[in-house]
Amino acid sequence: MVQVAAALLFALAAGLGITVILVMLKSNETAILSALLGEGAFADDGAPQPGPATTIKLRPSPPRRHIARAIVARAQRSQPQLSRAA
């Protein structure tokens, strides 16, 4: 009984997988077929063209000033690790 249920579940999963593949083929048919034929997924006109991209000149930021900050050591009074009540 368990084996029959497992076989039915496997058949359902396989059918769902095939359905997903067929839907993908239907929606992206031209891109998939042209890629399989070696033409690439993009048409010649719509393909990205190689070459330098347009650059945007940014405004230079002001130079950074190095500020030396003095580290002030606080005088700490030594406290016992345990309280006197312990």
Side-chain angles (χ1 to χ4, degrees):
M1 189 67 160
V2 174
Q3 293 170 342
V4 173
L8 288 174
L9 188 62
F10 180 76
L12 180 69
L16 184 63
I18 290 172
T19 304
V20 167
I21 290 172
L22 290 175
V23 169
M24 286 172 49
L25 272 174
K26 180 133 177 103
S27 65
N28 294 326
E29 176 180 17
T30 56
I32 292 171
L33 291 178
S34 66
L36 288 175
L37 292 174
E39 298 171 359
F42 298 105
D44 288 335
D45 297 335
Q49 299 300 322
T54 56
T55 58
I56 299 173
K57 186 84 170 171
L58 298 178
R59 181 181 50 174
S61 60
R64 296 184 182 188
R65 290 180 278 161
H66 178 70
I67 301 173
R69 296 183 183 179
I71 300 175
V72 180
R74 292 184 179 176
Q76 295 180 352
R77 104 188 136 144
S78 61
Q79 295 178 349
Q81 293 293 329
L82 299 174
S83 66
R84 293 182 188 188

